[in-house]
Amino acid sequence: MILHENILHHVLPLSSQTRRPTSTSRSRSRQSTPPLSTSRAPSPSSKLEQTFHLTAGSSHPSPWLSLRVKSNASPSHQHPIYFDKDIVEGSVHLNLSDNPTSIVGISVIVRGQLFSVGGDHAPFLELSQTLWSSSMGHPSNAGSRQSPFTGRLSGSYSWPFSIPLPPRVVVGNQSVPLPPTFAPKASSTFIDYKIQVLVQRGPLRVNNTLTTSFVYLPRLRAPRPSPLLEAAYQNHSPILGPSLDSEGWDVLPARTVPGVIFGARKTSVDCSLSLSQPTRPVRAERRYSDSYEAALPQARIYARDCPIHLHITLESYDTQLLDLLNASSLKIQLVQQVRTQTTTDPAASSSSSSHPHTVHRLYKADASNNEIEEPVVIGSCWKSFSGAQTGLVQTSNRRHYEAELIIRKDLKPSFTFPSLSLQYNVQLLIEVTGFVPLQKQRPVFSEPVTIVTDRPRGPLPSSQVPPPYHHHPSSSASASQ
């Protein structure tokens, strides 16, 4: 529930009422909106309609203003959900039969804004459609040439609206993809989207607003894996390692980890890490966003609810150290990294938006960044099987291990936006009693990866973890939503 000008805003379930007769009117845009897209048109039957009401208080409990929106939300979701290039569509309904009211205009506004403690930024997205204004004449005679309407509105009226969401917005001098809804935990900065109905009352009168937040989620499909890895998924067989499937792995140079064993002598171990990587052309796998290929590198793109396979090799002249190190001493984790840029005092100037009733203050960005890191997935690790099928040979000076991370399906996809970004890193740490690395509590590898929403085309990616080992799909702290 949200309070707007002392009027209670209720979220009600999908209405089964018969729609009132609609008085159509010409749709005007206060800010030029993109043309309606004919691609990826959703089926009306697949959209859920949600209704939001505004009442006049206890004396008039019946809603006088209603907003109906259709979106990709499921019945369990409180707010509408839209994907990239979706159309925010629905209708606005007025019921003034019991209370004739003076109104000079009705419009619908779709707004995206970044909020932060100490000052809110001007909206990066603000699209509006004027559904009716007094200059159009009486709503029941919309479309005919007539004098401006000056009386009180009485009765029931309805107007449809349709506002396409653009794939990109311009912030400052930079064109960036529209970011997802995001409210990081323990952060003072977040991104929110709203649909607002503005009822204008005229000079010296307080306007009414009916507002609901909605979730925006850009959907991107991960590229397909290598043919050999895809064949392993298809046949439910073990995946091949880097030596047998060079196309399917990103092999990183070895790194030396020096340290002290049992507090007595110095020693070191060379550690190599390989990550499974998609290799098919990104252009062929682009699903919705026109900016996918330009915005993301081709390698290290992984989908939610899918595995990241890893191969680890340890080499050392010190066999005692290699015997000490085992699968349980190799910690694999997916770390979520939220970067925010704080704001300082308001600038001396102010800026008016395209919305005539809103003035936005401009804030100067601080040069310092705040960074919050949190492990969101802990992986499983086990000793590799030797043999011709894996192409691996365990020796006294070389040990091979496999590891896997299952990306949680509730994680937010990676994005970069001015003042706020969400990135992920795959980290490998060595933690074992008896061996103290010279650089304590620092990962041996911390490799950036990009998380997207949709699984690659082709066979369903499958886990390779042997039965005795357990997955830890998340850390004790949940990811920010």
Side-chain angles (χ1 to χ4, degrees):
M1 293 188 294
I2 307 174
L3 195 61
H4 294 285
E5 300 175 0
N6 299 323
I7 298 177
L8 198 58
H9 161 208
H10 298 278
V11 177
L12 297 184
L14 179 64
S15 173
S16 59
Q17 299 175 7
T18 302
R19 181 174 173 177
R20 297 187 182 96
T22 301
S23 297
T24 57
S25 63
R26 291 174 297 174
S27 177
R28 301 181 182 178
S29 175
R30 184 179 295 111
Q31 173 179 328
S32 58
T33 59
L36 294 178
S37 174
T38 57
S39 63
R40 215 174 125 237
S43 170
S45 61
S46 65
K47 298 286 186 177
L48 177 73
E49 184 178 82
Q50 294 169 286
T51 305
F52 307 89
H53 292 310
L54 205 60
T55 65
S58 58
S59 59
H60 295 85
S62 299
W64 66 273
L65 177 63
S66 299
L67 169 65
R68 296 180 183 178
V69 292
K70 297 179 179 180
S71 77
N72 303 293
S74 65
S76 61
H77 286 101
Q78 181 182 8
H79 298 295
I81 298 177
Y82 295 100
F83 304 137
D84 52 306
K85 295 188 179 179
D86 265 349
I87 298 174
V88 179
E89 57 183 347
S91 57
V92 173
H93 302 260
L94 275 180
N95 182 8
L96 305 175
S97 301
D98 299 332
N99 186 25
T101 305
S102 176
I103 295 175
V104 299
I106 299 175
S107 58
V108 174
I109 303 164
V110 172
R111 183 180 291 118
Q113 192 167 0
L114 188 145
F115 296 89
S116 60
V117 173
D120 300 335
H121 299 243
F124 56 81
L125 175 70
E126 189 165 281
L127 306 172
S128 64
Q129 285 186 357
T130 299
L131 305 183
W132 175 81
S133 70
S134 57
S135 62
M136 299 178 183
H138 195 278
S140 61
N141 298 321
S144 61
R145 309 190 70 174
Q146 54 183 311
S147 301
F149 178 73
T150 58
R152 289 174 174 261
L153 290 181
S154 177
S156 298
Y157 309 93
S158 178
W159 297 270
F161 66 87
S162 181
I163 302 178
L165 292 172
R168 303 179 71 86
V169 290
V170 176
V171 179
N173 298 321
Q174 184 181 6
S175 175
V176 294
L178 203 60
T181 299
F182 189 56
K185 183 175 55 179
S187 173
S188 60
T189 305
F190 62 96
I191 293 173
D192 185 48
Y193 290 87
K194 295 184 184 298
I195 307 171
Q196 183 180 82
V197 180
L198 173 65
V199 178
Q200 296 170 272
R201 297 289 192 168
L204 304 180
R205 299 198 61 185
V206 178
N207 297 328
N208 297 109
T209 58
L210 170 57
T211 306
T212 181
S213 294
F214 69 88
V215 176
Y216 176 71
L217 181 65
R219 295 185 65 181
L220 301 175
R221 185 182 292 280
R224 296 175 73 161
S226 69
L228 291 177
L229 180 53
E230 197 169 83
Y233 290 152
Q234 182 71 48
N235 300 322
H236 304 286
S237 58
I239 65 174
L240 301 179
S243 62
L244 299 178
D245 182 17
S246 58
E247 185 183 3
W249 292 86
D250 183 9
V251 181
L252 304 175
R255 296 181 182 178
T256 300
V257 182
V260 177
I261 187 170
F262 299 126
R265 58 183 176 85
K266 295 181 179 180
T267 186
S268 65
V269 59
D270 292 335
C271 182
S272 300
L273 177 67
S274 300
L275 295 86
S276 59
Q277 67 171 354
T279 59
R280 306 295 177 87
V282 172
R283 181 183 298 274
E285 299 306 320
R286 187 172 57 204
R287 181 172 186 182
Y288 296 140
S289 176
D290 292 335
S291 62
Y292 183 61
E293 185 174 13
L296 302 178
Q298 182 172 332
R300 297 186 189 168
I301 303 173
Y302 305 96
R304 301 185 301 180
D305 202 24
C306 289
I308 301 177
H309 308 292
L310 304 105
H311 179 82
I312 304 165
T313 299
L314 301 179
E315 290 188 81
S316 178
Y317 62 89
D318 190 336
T319 56
Q320 186 182 24
L321 174 60
L322 289 181
D323 291 338
L324 181 65
L325 299 175
N326 52 36
S328 62
S329 64
L330 301 176
K331 182 179 180 181
I332 295 288
Q333 60 186 16
L334 181 67
V335 175
Q336 183 185 77
Q337 185 180 71
V338 179
R339 292 179 178 175
T340 60
Q341 192 173 54
T342 58
T343 55
T344 60
D345 294 334
S349 62
S350 63
S351 170
S352 295
S353 72
S354 58
H355 191 289
H357 300 279
T358 305
V359 176
H360 302 122
R361 292 180 296 174
L362 300 180
Y363 290 81
K364 295 179 180 179
D366 197 321
S368 62
N369 290 326
N370 297 319
E371 188 171 295
I372 301 174
E373 288 192 352
E374 177 188 15
V376 290
V377 180
I378 304 299
S380 297
C381 185
W382 63 97
K383 192 173 183 179
S384 299
F385 299 100
S386 301
Q389 188 177 16
T390 61
L392 302 175
V393 178
Q394 309 279 4
T395 67
S396 59
N397 298 106
R398 179 183 299 169
R399 311 290 166 85
H400 297 282
Y401 297 90
E402 307 296 325
E404 187 176 284
L405 291 160
I406 296 289
I407 303 172
R408 285 172 31 190
K409 61 182 178 182
D410 63 334
L411 292 182
K412 290 290 185 180
S414 306
F415 72 91
T416 299
F417 194 72
S419 299
L420 179 63
S421 67
L422 173 65
Q423 306 297 329
Y424 294 92
N425 291 280
V426 171
Q427 293 186 352
L428 168 62
L429 300 92
I430 295 179
E431 298 179 349
V432 61
T433 301
F435 175 67
V436 181
L438 295 184
Q439 294 182 329
K440 299 179 181 179
Q441 298 179 344
R442 291 190 60 181
V444 181
F445 289 91
S446 183
E447 301 301 317
V449 297
T450 298
I451 305 301
V452 296
T453 56
D454 289 15
R455 290 195 298 255
R457 301 185 190 278
L460 182 67
S462 58
S463 172
Q464 300 291 310
V465 180
Y469 297 87
H470 297 283
H471 257 298
H472 302 278
S474 65
S475 65
S476 57
S478 61
S480 302
Q481 293 301 307

